[in-house]
Amino acid sequence: NFELFKMIKILVVGPLKSGKTTVANIIADISDGVLEAYRPTKALWILEIEKEAPLAVKKQFPGNVTVELWDVSGDPKYESCLPVILKNAQGIIFVYNPEDNDIEKTMEFYIN
């Protein structure tokens, strides 16, 4: 079914202040580096970009695909929104600060 390949939903998740928005903006070609001032994402921010279909898909279904990058807030107050956000996601990009001493414990929450 071609419609399955037309829209790809990818979540960008991780703890507060880990750089999720910066990563999403770089992938979407909105910026090429770190934002000047930290502004926490409120719940989520969806970036929609159009990309050429991967070769394996393009052979059967020519054309472009739309990629939705869901930049998900790391603020625990939005935790109750996660089941709805996770629905129909086809991929997840985990972002974290490697200098965080508790990162393994923190990332367990996102992986489980």
Side-chain angles (χ1 to χ4, degrees), residues 46-98:
I46 300 173
L47 300 166
E48 194 171 288
I49 53 178
E50 196 165 305
K51 294 285 187 182
E52 191 172 332
L55 189 56
V57 174
K58 193 179 217 178
K59 289 179 181 180
Q60 293 179 328
F61 309 105
N64 291 341
V65 294
T66 301
V67 178
E68 288 184 348
L69 288 175
W70 289 46
D71 176 8
V72 182
S73 174
D75 193 325
K77 72 181 178 184
Y78 299 113
E79 187 176 325
S80 64
C81 301
L82 285 178
V84 174
I85 292 170
L86 289 169
K87 186 175 182 176
N88 298 324
Q90 291 143 313
I92 299 175
I93 299 171
F94 293 105
V95 180
Y96 64 93
N97 180 348

Side-chain angles (χ1 to χ4, degrees), residues 4-15:
L4 292 175
F5 297 105
K6 291 290 280 182
M7 180 76 70
I8 299 170
K9 177 180 175 182
I10 300 176
L11 308 180
V12 182
V13 300

Side-chain angles (χ1 to χ4, degrees), residues 8 13 18 21 23 27-28 34 36 53 63 70 79 85 88 96-97 101-102 105 110:
I8 299 170
V13 300
S18 59
T21 299
V23 169
I27 292 171
V34 178
E36 289 185 23
W70 289 46
E79 187 176 325
I85 292 170
N88 298 324
Y96 64 93
N97 180 348
N101 293 331
D102 293 327
K105 180 180 171 190
Y110 294 100

